[in-house]
Amino acid sequence: MILAAMAMLVGGASAAVRDTISLNEGWQFHFGELSGIEAVKNAKSERVNLPHDFLIGQPWVEPDASERPDNSDAGSNVRSRLSPRGFKEMNVGWYRYVLTPKQEWKGRRVVLDFQGIMLVGDVWLNGKHIGKTDYGYLGFDTDISSMIKYDGDNEIIVKANTQQPNNSRWYTGGGLYRDVNIIVTDKKLYFPRHPLFIRTENNKKVKIQAEIACFNKVDNIPAEVKIYDANGEVVAQKKQNIVFNGKWRTREYELQPIEIDNANLWSCESPYLYTAEVTLFDNQGNAVDQIREQFGVRTIEFSPDFGFKLNGKKVLLKGYANHHTLGALGAAAYPRAIEKRIQLMKSFGYNHIRTSHNPYSEDFMRLCDRYGILVVDELYDKWLTQYAGGRVEWEALWQRDVPEWVKRDRNHPCVVLWSLGNELQQYPNLPFNDWGVTAYKLQRELLHRYDNTRLTTVAMHPRYRDIDTDSIPAPLAIATEVNSYNYRYMYFPGDSRRYPEKIFYQSEASTGAMGPNFFEMDLDKVVGLAYWGAIDYLGESMGWPIKGWNQGVFDISLQPKPDAYFLKSMFSDTPSVHLAVIEKGKKGEQMWNGINVAIGSYSENWNRKDGEKLSLYTYTNAEEVELKLNGKSLGVKKNSGNPKERNRIKWDNIEYKSGKLTAIARNGGKEVARHSLETTGEAVALKLIPDVQTWHADGKDLLHVRVIAVDKKGRRVLSAGENLRFSVTGNAEIVAVDNGNISSDELAVGTERSLFMGSALVILRAGASASNIILEVASDKYKTQRIKLNTL
């Protein structure tokens, strides 16, 4: 289909002080290479709304005989990179948007803002190249004031390219995967990009540095600061005149401090947020530009004596490290999909996310602020061109990337540590040929120019060390302000003795070694840890037909696997117990960066052959567990203090009988938690479970509907695997389908999906106007089910 007209005309009599207009709706998209920008308008295309990942719907490509089918292939051409990139062929996507500007924009400053283009991108306006990104994880803007035609349509064309050779080690997605906006301000007095730097002192004083552009002939710039509490009430305000130095048209000004009486502190348990509003005026007292930024009042400290403190209290970072993608949605950065993950992980006791190995979206940061998640904010993977977009030498990128990244994220209270890179110890030929030490120091110095309130680190993986000989770490591992080791927590004690001033953080921990790699650390002194790939993700497959990382404790559709509850018993203080049947077969070996990351095979299946002998775990943080089968006690076992066995009680030679298996956890002889597995009957119906009550008609909000096959008693039947067909009526669309089976050849984009372990997932995107919506789920076996929904 060829879309001839996709115009955006914004009504209204006059422009506000600052207008931010979304350009997310109504793009013309063409997949594949074209001869040039002149070919885009008439190319075969489809209409898409942003965020958009053009790779997620492409077919899987099975590796041929000349390729390695797993992640060990480090070849130099695109097809040899299929396993790391999720068995999708890299390609090019073209986007076209027709903009009809408001007449009120004349004489004002109009900026086109991209929050990211994956993986590298170029932008044209009316045939002229106006901007680009060589590192698509960060945004950029372009002043288009002088290029807009007010007597007709304006054509915006974007080319997104993922084909740079060896440009990533995982599935990145492709395209306009984040928001695109038009920002309209005054032309002679305005705030540039990311203008505010907000700091707090003594849990009371608020200090704001503001970058201001002024092209007026004035001696002073009148300004006002207002601080709003979480209810929108003004709790502090101050007017002032900024002395303007006419020689510097754009510069930073330190505003007069302002105080909040009895400030509420931001914490993981109570993530209280204030809003700073800074307004610039002309000499007649008219507001000219205004910027608002949320912030939190909190203190952070790092020390080898206690690791990390938040507001003076020891807090252990209990987290995970994943790539930026969102399962079946690919790289498309939907705020609701991000929120759903954060809510899930927090319910399991997580308080921390490391943004490996690139900056996540701005919405992600806002949501971590809102939910009290502590973030280690990471800029790069390797400091090499091939891992930083692949189009421009890395040495030419970091001077721009560091300021854009830090200025974008520095006001978020969730950010507690900056990470500049990942696993660089294997590359002696990094810039300056000193194992990255000079490159780190240069970036650190530039970073502290824009934020001197946080420390920096690099996530290192000292895999070539020998613990028996007490070998020393790589030079970069000891040069950083916080010392981050991937997996090698066992070196912390020795390195602490050798370098007593050092602060240690396990930046990646293996899910295959859960338990020991947590309990064997000195939890009173370390910063904490982040479990690598706690959620299954596309790319970095261990071998076809597995489409990605499958060593997580949550599947790619966010269903918890049984061992997710082991982790919950470690991270959460709430008493818990959970049963996990150990499926037959050895755990095996799955090597990853010199670490065996293989996890065991566990299930909650209690439909078996009578008399079968089973082994199982009860995951618990209670003192003891009693196991009962059909009401008969099979014994009581104590929780072990041994870090290799703690919170994981093993039961062997359990003879299967149909019915109910129950684990009862007790503290001091009193029951504190229980969990049961039951023998289910045949699946006879489908049950539809939406994930939220309020679904917003904003054109971007999502609703996830879980579909499960149930027996006559409403219990999920794990053996059900029938194909489902989805359809929706009303102002909404199906944007993704999933079932958690990362080995499936089914695509995430479509209207059909089979059940896997009795479950499937359909994700709906709301339209821009309120509507009654009906989702219908049909199959050849079950009665068609419908659920009535509505957007507000």
Side-chain angles (χ1 to χ4, degrees):
M1 181 176 90
I2 297 176
L3 299 181
M6 276 172 266
M8 188 281 297
L9 179 61
V10 180
S14 61
V17 172
R18 170 179 286 249
D19 281 340
T20 300
I21 301 120
S22 171
L23 299 190
N24 280 356
E25 286 195 35
W27 289 79
Q28 173 187 340
F29 172 73
H30 171 80
F31 179 78
E33 194 56 272
L34 292 172
S35 58
I37 61 171
E38 63 282 347
V40 178
K41 180 177 181 180
N42 296 315
K44 182 180 179 182
S45 60
E46 61 179 315
R47 186 183 190 274
V48 300
N49 297 326
L50 310 184
H52 179 246
D53 177 359
F54 68 70
L55 285 179
I56 191 65
Q58 298 307 311
W60 307 111
V61 181
E62 182 177 357
D64 61 34
S66 68
E67 303 169 78
R68 294 189 181 188
D70 57 35
N71 203 46
S72 63
D73 189 358
S76 60
N77 59 71
V78 173
R79 282 191 57 83
S80 71
R81 302 295 292 175
L82 284 172
S83 170
R85 303 300 294 275
F87 297 104
K88 303 277 189 181
E89 291 281 17
M90 299 301 99
N91 216 308
V92 170
W94 293 87
Y95 296 82
R96 179 176 179 266
Y97 191 95
V98 178
L99 172 70
T100 302
K102 295 196 311 185
Q103 294 300 309
E104 290 81 8
W105 295 357
K106 286 184 177 179
R108 292 171 65 77
R109 174 176 172 265
V110 182
V111 172
L112 182 58
D113 178 87
F114 292 85
Q115 292 189 8
I117 304 175
M118 186 55 62
L119 183 64
V120 297
D122 292 273
V123 183
W124 292 263
L125 177 64
N126 298 327
K128 180 181 179 180
H129 188 270
I130 61 169
K132 67 171 186 172
T133 178
D134 294 311
Y135 188 59
Y137 292 96
L138 291 172
F140 67 98
D141 62 22
T142 302
D143 189 333
I144 60 173
S145 309
S146 63
M147 293 175 272
I148 294 178
K149 298 185 300 184
Y150 285 93
D151 57 353
D153 292 336
N154 294 260
E155 182 184 58
I156 302 169
I157 290 178
V158 178
K159 180 182 181 181
N161 189 350
T162 67
Q163 289 182 313
Q164 305 303 312
N166 279 345
N167 58 8
S168 186
R169 299 185 296 114
W170 53 84
Y171 176 82
T172 62
L176 293 177
Y177 73 119
R178 294 180 185 166
D179 293 343
V180 178
N181 294 301
I182 288 282
I183 300 171
V184 184
T185 70
D186 186 79
K187 200 165 189 176
K188 291 190 175 182
L189 178 61
Y190 58 87
F191 291 108
R193 186 174 181 81
H194 311 313
L196 301 186
F197 181 24
I198 306 170
R199 298 92 72 211
T200 62
E201 291 183 358
N202 302 319
N203 294 334
K204 183 176 184 179
K205 183 184 291 186
V206 181
K207 299 173 70 175
I208 300 176
Q209 177 185 283
E211 186 176 5
I212 300 171
C214 181
F215 297 90
N216 295 322
K217 293 182 179 180
V218 295
D219 296 323
N220 296 283
I221 303 172
E224 182 178 33
V225 176
K226 290 183 179 180
I227 305 297
Y228 295 85
D229 65 13
N231 297 316
E233 300 293 328
V234 176
V235 293
Q237 64 185 110
K238 179 176 287 189
K239 293 183 178 180
Q240 56 194 284
N241 281 318
I242 301 170
V243 178
F244 174 62
N245 184 338
K247 294 181 180 180
W248 302 96
R249 294 301 181 184
T250 302
R251 60 163 290 184
E252 296 157 330
Y253 297 87
E254 190 67 40
L255 306 183
Q256 296 174 11
I258 190 169
E259 293 190 352
I260 304 173
D261 293 329
N262 302 314
N264 292 288
L265 301 187
W266 184 93
S267 67
C268 297
E269 298 77 21
S270 180
Y272 197 93
L273 293 171
Y274 291 92
T275 299
E277 177 187 272
V278 185
T279 307
L280 303 178
F281 300 87
D282 62 21
N283 286 330
Q284 287 73 48
N286 300 309
V288 177
D289 199 6
Q290 185 181 90
I291 200 84
R292 293 168 65 91
E293 190 87 32
Q294 285 192 322
F295 69 97
V297 179
R298 57 104 174 102
T299 61
I300 58 173
E301 303 170 75
F302 288 87
S303 167
D305 296 326
F306 51 75
F308 172 74
K309 285 185 178 180
L310 177 64
N311 300 326
K313 177 184 176 182
K314 162 71 178 180
V315 174
L316 188 70
L317 270 61
K318 298 176 288 188
Y320 74 101
N322 262 61
H323 297 304
H324 67 288
T325 51
L326 299 168
L329 296 165
Y334 289 95
R336 172 56 195 151
I338 298 167
E339 180 183 44
K340 184 177 178 67
R341 289 187 167 219
I342 290 173
Q343 290 172 323
L344 171 68
M345 302 308 267
K346 189 161 186 177
S347 73
F348 275 74
Y350 289 81
N351 64 8
H352 161 52
I353 299 173
R354 172 182 166 223
T355 68
S356 47
H357 302 294
N358 313 92
Y360 286 11
S361 68
E362 294 180 55
D363 284 321
F364 168 83
M365 292 298 174
R366 295 187 190 103
L367 287 162
C368 287
D369 286 343
R370 185 190 305 173
Y371 284 97
I373 300 296
L374 304 170
V375 174
V376 173
D377 199 353
E378 194 155 278
L379 177 58
Y380 292 121
D381 183 21
K382 312 291 185 285
W383 300 334
L384 297 170
T385 302
Q386 70 186 82
Y387 297 126
R391 187 163 72 170
V392 174
E393 293 295 321
W394 177 84
E395 290 89 334
L397 283 179
W398 66 268
Q399 298 96 325
R400 177 201 172 277
D401 290 348
V402 168
E404 166 66 17
W405 169 56
V406 174
K407 291 170 72 176
R408 191 197 76 166
D409 292 349
R410 63 189 173 181
N411 295 327
H412 291 285
C414 66
V415 177
V416 297
L417 183 64
W418 302 111
S419 176
L420 288 161
N422 174 68
E423 293 185 356
L424 292 152
Q425 72 289 333
Q426 302 174 46
Y427 299 91
N429 59 336
L430 288 169
F432 312 108
N433 293 314
D434 62 353
W435 298 89
V437 173
T438 298
Y440 163 72
K441 289 180 177 179
L442 288 169
Q443 292 176 87
R444 181 189 64 191
E445 194 69 19
L446 180 59
L447 186 152
H448 285 322
R449 153 71 176 85
Y450 295 100
D451 177 25
N452 58 4
T453 69
R454 299 174 179 89
L455 300 180
T456 61
T457 192
V458 173
M460 298 292 286
H461 181 20
R463 61 182 292 187
Y464 300 114
R465 295 179 65 185
D466 186 338
I467 197 166
D468 294 327
T469 62
D470 198 26
S471 59
I472 63 173
L476 182 57
I478 58 173
T480 56
E481 293 171 311
V482 172
N483 308 91
S484 301
Y485 290 5
N486 289 355
Y487 309 106
R488 304 294 189 174
Y489 69 95
M490 63 285 295
Y491 286 99
F492 288 171
D495 286 355
S496 293
R497 291 189 293 270
R498 181 182 284 114
Y499 310 105
E501 76 283 5
K502 296 302 179 183
I503 305 161
F504 293 98
Y505 160 60
Q506 193 178 172
S507 38
E508 288 179 23
S510 168
T511 53
M514 273 195 310
N517 57 15
F518 180 74
F519 292 121
E520 288 180 350
M521 295 193 299
D522 187 341
L523 300 180
D524 292 328
K525 291 189 174 182
V526 298
V527 172
L529 87 174
Y531 278 104
W532 178 257
I535 304 172
D536 290 351
Y537 58 85
L538 293 176
E540 297 188 294
S541 168
M542 297 296 185
W544 179 268
I546 304 168
K547 306 306 188 297
W549 177 266
N550 66 339
Q551 307 298 308
V553 296
F554 298 87
D555 72 28
I556 197 167
S557 75
L558 300 185
Q559 287 279 87
K561 302 177 187 179
D563 42 353
Y565 295 91
F566 178 33
L567 194 144
K568 184 177 184 179
S569 76
M570 295 155 46
F571 280 3
S572 175
D573 293 331
T574 302
S576 63
V577 66
H578 202 89
L579 286 155
V581 179
I582 303 172
E583 297 297 339
K584 290 183 178 180
K586 293 183 178 179
K587 176 178 175 180
E589 186 175 90
Q590 193 70 266
M591 299 308 294
W592 179 267
N593 282 341
I595 299 292
N596 182 13
V597 298
I599 59 174
S601 179
Y602 311 112
S603 82
E604 298 177 12
N605 179 19
W606 202 246
N607 285 59
R608 298 174 179 274
K609 293 181 179 180
D610 283 337
E612 181 181 354
K613 293 296 181 66
L614 301 168
S615 294
L616 56 88
Y617 285 123
T618 49
Y619 302 132
T620 186
N621 51 15
E623 295 171 359
E624 64 179 27
V625 172
E626 181 180 12
L627 194 63
K628 288 186 175 182
L629 180 57
N630 297 328
K632 179 181 178 181
S633 179
L634 302 182
V636 176
K637 291 192 176 185
K638 300 286 187 181
N639 200 344
S640 173
N642 183 340
K644 297 187 184 303
E645 300 174 356
R646 185 173 169 182
N647 286 18
R648 181 168 50 184
I649 300 171
K650 189 177 183 185
W651 305 74
D652 290 316
N653 296 314
I654 303 298
E655 184 176 340
Y656 172 77
K657 292 181 181 178
S658 64
K660 180 187 285 189
L661 180 71
T662 301
I664 303 169
R666 298 187 179 94
N667 284 333
K670 182 180 179 181
E671 180 178 335
V672 292
R674 70 167 54 203
H675 179 238
S676 297
L677 304 179
E678 293 187 53
T679 304
T680 59
E682 179 186 358
V684 297
L686 299 174
K687 184 177 181 181
L688 280 55
I689 308 169
D691 70 335
V692 293
Q693 297 296 319
T694 303
W695 188 15
H696 300 284
D698 60 3
K700 195 166 70 169
D701 197 16
L702 301 180
L703 185 88
H704 300 70
V705 180
R706 178 71 59 180
V707 182
I708 58 173
V710 296
D711 65 8
K712 290 180 179 180
K713 293 185 177 180
R715 300 171 297 191
R716 176 178 167 186
V717 179
L718 298 177
S719 60
E722 292 78 16
N723 187 63
L724 305 180
R725 301 181 297 277
F726 306 99
S727 61
V728 63
T729 58
N731 193 10
E733 62 176 326
I734 297 170
V735 291
V737 290
D738 200 356
N739 61 11
N741 182 7
I742 204 167
S743 297
S744 173
D745 290 335
E746 298 171 293
L747 291 175
V749 177
T751 57
E752 294 190 19
R753 191 77 182 204
S754 61
L755 292 163
F756 176 65
M757 297 184 68
S759 171
L761 178 71
V762 56
I763 306 176
L764 307 178
R765 176 175 180 159
S769 59
S771 173
N772 293 319
I773 293 159
I774 297 176
L775 171 68
E776 182 176 286
V777 184
S779 78
D780 292 338
K781 177 178 179 180
Y782 308 107
K783 180 181 178 181
T784 297
Q785 294 294 317
R786 297 174 183 86
I787 183 170
K788 293 182 179 180
L789 307 161
N790 65 286
T791 55
L792 303 175

